[in-house]
Amino acid sequence: MADDEKKVNICFDDESRIRVLSPEKFKHTEELAEQCTAFVNKIEDFSGTVHVLVEVLDAQAKKIELEKLKAIGQRNMVESETENRARRQLALQSQINEKMAELDRYAKQYQSLARVEAEQLALIEKLSNNET
C-alpha cells in the first residue's frame, strides 16, 4: 500500500492535458468542488436569511420595549391620578369642615345678635311706654 501511494499515475485527459490524478479521481474532485461551492452558496443564503431575521427581531424588540415604557408611564399616571384625587378629596373635605365651622360661628353670632336686638327693642319699647 505504501508503494501505491508513492506511485504517481500520469495520464492525459480528453483535452490532451496532463493529469496527475486518474480520470475517476479527477472527476470525483470536480464533483466535490461543485458540491462545496453549492454548500458555500447555501450557507451564504442561510446567513443572509438569519441576518434579516435578526434585524426583524431587533426591530420588534425595540417596538416591544417602547410599548412597555408607554404602559409603565400610563400605569404611573393612573397611580398618581388616584393619589391626586385622594389628596384633592382630603383638601375639599378639610375646606368643607372649615366652612361648616365658619357657618356654625356665624349662626351663633346671628343668634346672639338677634337676642341682643330683641333685648334692645324690648328695652326701647319699655322706655317708650314709660315716657308716655
Side-chain angles (χ1 to χ4, degrees):
M1 186 172 223
D3 292 335
D4 290 337
E5 290 177 7
K6 291 180 182 178
K7 196 179 192 183
V8 177
N9 288 334
I10 298 177
C11 56
F12 294 94
D13 64 3
D14 296 338
E15 297 174 1
S16 300
R17 287 191 247 162
I18 297 177
R19 300 285 179 201
V20 178
L21 294 175
S22 66
E24 297 86 29
K25 286 183 180 180
F26 181 72
K27 184 172 174 129
H28 180 68
T29 304
E30 283 181 332
E31 289 173 0
L32 187 59
E34 288 173 6
Q35 290 174 357
C36 287
T37 303
F39 179 74
V40 167
N41 290 338
K42 287 180 183 178
I43 292 296
E44 287 174 352
D45 289 344
F46 179 72
S47 176
T49 302
V50 168
H51 182 69
V52 169
L53 178 65
V54 167
E55 287 177 352
V56 168
L57 290 176
D58 283 343
Q60 290 298 322
K62 287 178 183 177
K63 287 180 184 177
I64 289 170
E65 284 300 317
L66 180 63
E67 292 301 319
K68 282 168 64 175
L69 290 175
K70 284 181 183 178
I72 289 170
Q74 288 180 350
R75 183 182 64 207
N76 289 344
M77 285 176 49
V78 167
E79 288 174 358
S80 69
E81 183 62 28
T82 303
E83 292 170 2
N84 287 341
R85 286 184 182 182
R87 228 177 295 127
R88 204 173 324 134
Q89 185 177 4
L90 287 174
L92 289 173
Q93 188 62 44
S94 174
Q95 193 175 16
I96 288 171
N97 291 341
E98 289 173 10
K99 295 296 181 183
M100 291 297 286
E102 188 177 356
L103 178 64
D104 286 342
R105 281 193 309 271
Y106 287 147
K108 289 178 183 177
Q109 186 178 7
Y110 174 75
Q111 289 173 355
S112 173
L113 290 174
R115 194 174 39 241
V116 168
E117 180 186 19
E119 290 173 0
Q120 287 178 354
L121 286 175
L123 182 62
I124 290 173
E125 184 67 30
K126 183 176 177 187
L127 291 175
S128 297
N129 286 339
N130 282 342
E131 289 181 5
T132 49

